[in-house]
């Protein structure tokens, strides 16, 4: 029989009088001192954030909440309509819509920036790197992630604010500069002005904070869980899910029977 | 055809240059100022928390993260093993285990306390209410939620800390008093000492903060999403999901074929 | 340390040259002989169905597919819109809407009938049982499950067909009789004619087939998974999810900004 | 405001006395005649299967059920442990593990075969196509899907049976021939004998039946839903989820406290 390795985890462990979390005594060192976002930072990096890191991290996380009536928010409300006993199921349904089409942007930006500049501390020519990134995407006919927005035109109002917060906290570094340079090169070469959007800014700031590769998507998951819980609290008070459904169902039934009886 | 009501939501709305969230200008009023937990408080209540409310709310939320190797954490890791491309799917799978058996405690405590004391400001006799709650549960042979813990004995170390934080913030009020009185009555009447556990403390503090009925479960959903993301970041570096699976699979296959070939 | 029991399962087991499923050699005894629904019957009961059982079981299962544009179908399509790479995630999201409001009917009918008549073979007075069931629900102000339909009036066209199939197969027995008697008693006592609906018929037929308590919900889960896959195949060819979303999003944004700029 | 297209769906529609499914009267044409798998075939293709198509389709579908103690089955049981009130949530959790690592094989095989041979009726040289497929994968260092199995060695016992069923039904055509030729070429060129596995056979048979690209994954979704329901019925009678969990949790807690107290 195969010899299996022992199971180990540093996330948490419990004894009758103690709970350890990433090596910290939960009651003695964290409870009453750590905030929700500092615990999230700890979960992603294994260490507590400095005040400046926490400020940028909070800005990233609350931007990722996405409060609008997204397809995810609709799926969550429609699921709650059928299963009001399971708030967690409705949130889970919404999270499942966070896929490649709406959920992968910041991750792609961070990967693009890290590939171009693996070591932030190394000497480098930002402008040359930006041209190189632009050209490799153009050659592969791949769109550049993190630029332009279909609603927030000409600029995404969140981007300058995110960069301002990063600047004040000392985190407006080489990845932010590189992404802005890529946007400039794109405008020069194509004539299309596509400024850095919020997703792009978040991807760059995840690099500045040295967060792991899973961070953009991981932060989006719990941030959107917060947003979806908010949608459900409102749905509990002023439900609109049933109307969303009945309108669609009625239109499809009416079309079906009128079209088929017409002939 | 049925006349449908218009669709309205106060959660969020977007215009090209502006994003509104619960009536606030997101960029001008929230970004750079609000923390992740203050946004969560806003999503639950429609208003920003005071500093004292935020402190208690953070304590509740980080306690609900639950870092241990729960069945939810295992389900998340096993799902990631098969679908590493979908971090959100693995977190969603874990959240689905947050049901009546492990997830409903704080909600039940809050409901019990609010039923006994609908108006916290009204004059009341804590001791008499506690006896009444104890007796109605005993009569219905229903267990009292929020008392005792199968691991953290004799006391759950999180409870005194949570109450201390609440006291400092001015939120150790009538619901905390009532729950503690229920624990005392239970000890007197049954001889079993079952102190208030963390779940009970959280249920009482949700009442003290006047959070809506969905709050205990809603906070647990996004808090546990944070914990599950942490498990996946670790699983990415030091995977243990495969070993969890192979041990079980091997044991079941071996038993099956040895038992059936034995005859 | 606690002594844990061994892990055993009769569902399946694998050896290099053999796969066992519920005690049958999968390749030698099932593949090429068993249908999808007979495998489902085996999963629910541990035994293969007779031809008559299979006929009734197929009728139950295909009725539970529910092809319409339910909230579940909408949630599935909206999830696919965001995550087209994960067909399984979109189906999972849809299944989560199968809760107490739309999913529990047949289960409740089966439970009601089995409580009234635990042993189908025992001598009993159908009319007296029906009155007793009616009165216990009336006393508790609980609605009787399985009667009436908000669209299919005056009768649900699936019910007589389901009972006809059962009759031909020899499964129109005491549970069907009892449910029909309950409908008659209800009409007599309340003056409201609420014939047995498809959900009711399915609940009764699950009792006639002696399926386990999990059957109505379990069959609904995999039957609806089939229906949801069908919705996604159509969504891939003629997508409508984006339009569902854009109409709602536009209405909410327009209302928000017009109302708030009006003052 | 944007002009939105009308919403249309051919899946299903309801009127008071009629239910239409893919253009068929559900009660008059399908109920009592269609089986569960013929309805699934209808959902995938828009038409009813012939008897021979149905036989091959059933063989594909029941092979995809996967009865073993997979990570998906474990996630389903662990989710049920926490949320026994939500059978659908536990099945949904299991389906989410059907990702790229365990779920994509048949899809990849079908895509590979269709790319090599877009028109099954066109004249072609099977051997030359097989060499070409082998070489393009070797050049890109991409593994060939559908060959070899880590447990079922030297051959997967399901493959010859699946091909036999297809042969009898008249569906052992050019895609089966091509996949077998690819396996032969691979053995010749690499010296490694990797026969076609069940996943490969299913991918080829989906091509023979002219099923849409979504079919391999779509069939796997509902087939596995059946398997997972079976696991839950067993878990209801002979629960093993708690033992799976307690063993892991105990090992991790013990290691944590012994290691950290050792120093």
């Amino acid at each position: 029989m195969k010899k299996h390795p022992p199971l180990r985890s540093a996330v948490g462990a419990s004894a009758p009088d103690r709970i350890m979390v990433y090596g910290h005594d939960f009651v003695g060192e964290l409870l009453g001192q750590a905030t929700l976002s500092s615990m999230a930072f700890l979960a992603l990096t294994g260490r507590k954030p400095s005040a400046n890191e926490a400020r940028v991290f909070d800005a990233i996380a609350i931007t990722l909440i996405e409060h609008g009536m997204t397809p995810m928010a609709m799926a969550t409300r429609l699921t709650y309509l059928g299963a009001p006993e399971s708030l967690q199921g409705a949130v889970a349904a919404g999270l499942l819509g966070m896929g490649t089409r709406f959920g992968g942007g910041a991750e792609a930006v961070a990967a693009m920036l890290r590939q171009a500049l693996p070591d932030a501390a190394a000497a480098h020519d930002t402008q040359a790197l930006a041209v190189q990134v632009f050209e490799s995407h153009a050659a592969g006919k791949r769109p550049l992630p993190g630029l332009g927005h279909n609603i927030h035109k000409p600029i995404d109002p969140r981007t300058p604010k995110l960069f301002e917060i990063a600047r004040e906290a000392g985190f407006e570094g080489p990845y932010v500069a590189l992404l802005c340079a890529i946007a400039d090169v794109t405008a020069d070469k194509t004539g299309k002005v596509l400024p850095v959007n919020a997703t792009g800014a978040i991807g760059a700031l995840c690099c500045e904070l040295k967060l792991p590769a899973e961070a953009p998507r991981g932060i989006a998951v719990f941030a959107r869980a917060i947003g979806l819980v908010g949608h459900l609290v409102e749905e509990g008070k002023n439900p609109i899910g049933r109307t969303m459904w009945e309108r669609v169902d009625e239109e499809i039934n009416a079309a079906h029977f009128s079209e088929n009886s017409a002939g």
Side-chain angles (χ1 to χ4, degrees), chain A residues 44 57 60-61 64 206 211 214-224:
Chain A
L44 287 167
F57 188 78
I60 291 171
L64 284 169
C206 284
L211 298 179
E214 295 92 341
R217 192 178 291 240
I219 301 170
V221 168
F222 57 71
R224 285 172 192 187

Side-chain angles (χ1 to χ4, degrees), chain A residues 23 39 81 88 107 116 209 252:
Chain A
M39 290 301 288
L81 174 63
Q88 65 276 16
E107 196 171 68
L209 290 180
I252 282 172

Side-chain angles (χ1 to χ4, degrees), chain A residues 183-252:
Chain A
D184 289 345
V185 168
T186 303
D188 280 355
K189 300 263 186 185
T190 68
K192 278 183 259 175
V193 178
L194 295 171
V196 175
N197 59 30
T199 299
I202 287 169
L205 295 180
C206 284
C207 296
E208 299 292 354
L209 290 180
K210 297 189 173 50
L211 298 179
E214 295 92 341
R217 192 178 291 240
I219 301 170
V221 168
F222 57 71
R224 285 172 192 187
I226 290 175
L228 295 173
V229 167
H231 276 282
L232 289 177
V233 170
E234 185 182 74
E235 184 72 16
K237 286 184 298 189
N238 302 309
I240 58 175
R242 180 171 285 274
T243 296
M244 288 181 191
W245 167 47
E246 288 181 346
R247 287 184 186 178
V248 168
D249 187 42
E250 210 172 76
E251 179 174 347
I252 282 172

Side-chain angles (χ1 to χ4, degrees), chain A residues 45-211:
Chain A
T45 64
R47 64 183 183 80
K48 298 187 207 173
S50 70
N52 277 328
E53 284 172 325
R55 188 149 186 259
V56 177
F57 188 78
D58 266 317
I60 291 171
I62 76 170
T63 300
L64 284 169
I65 293 182
E66 274 220 70
H67 294 83
M69 194 58 73
T70 56
M72 288 178 287
M74 285 177 68
T76 284
R77 288 179 183 251
L78 288 161
T79 302
Y80 201 52
L81 174 63
E85 77 280 8
S86 176
L87 190 138
Q88 65 276 16
V91 172
L95 292 179
L96 293 172
M98 222 192 85
T100 51
R101 202 167 289 159
F102 300 130
E107 196 171 68
V109 170
M112 171 181 82
L113 297 175
R114 277 190 183 121
Q115 197 188 0
L117 182 57
D119 176 4
H124 63 277
D125 176 340
T126 300
Q127 182 63 17
L129 286 180
V131 170
Q132 185 186 309
V133 169
F134 172 83
E135 287 179 350
S136 75
H137 280 72
K141 299 196 177 177
R142 287 175 297 139
L144 282 157
L147 305 184
H149 197 282
N150 62 336
I151 293 170
H152 300 302
K153 298 175 193 169
I155 67 158
D156 184 331
R158 298 166 292 185
T159 302
K161 185 73 186 181
L162 284 164
F163 287 162
E164 178 194 319
I165 294 163
R167 193 178 317 128
E168 289 170 7
F171 283 101
E172 196 185 39
Y175 294 106
V176 172
L178 176 55
L179 183 59
C180 292
I182 292 169
D184 289 345
V185 168
T186 303
D188 280 355
K189 300 263 186 185
T190 68
K192 278 183 259 175
V193 178
L194 295 171
V196 175
N197 59 30
T199 299
I202 287 169
L205 295 180
C206 284
C207 296
E208 299 292 354
L209 290 180
K210 297 189 173 50
L211 298 179

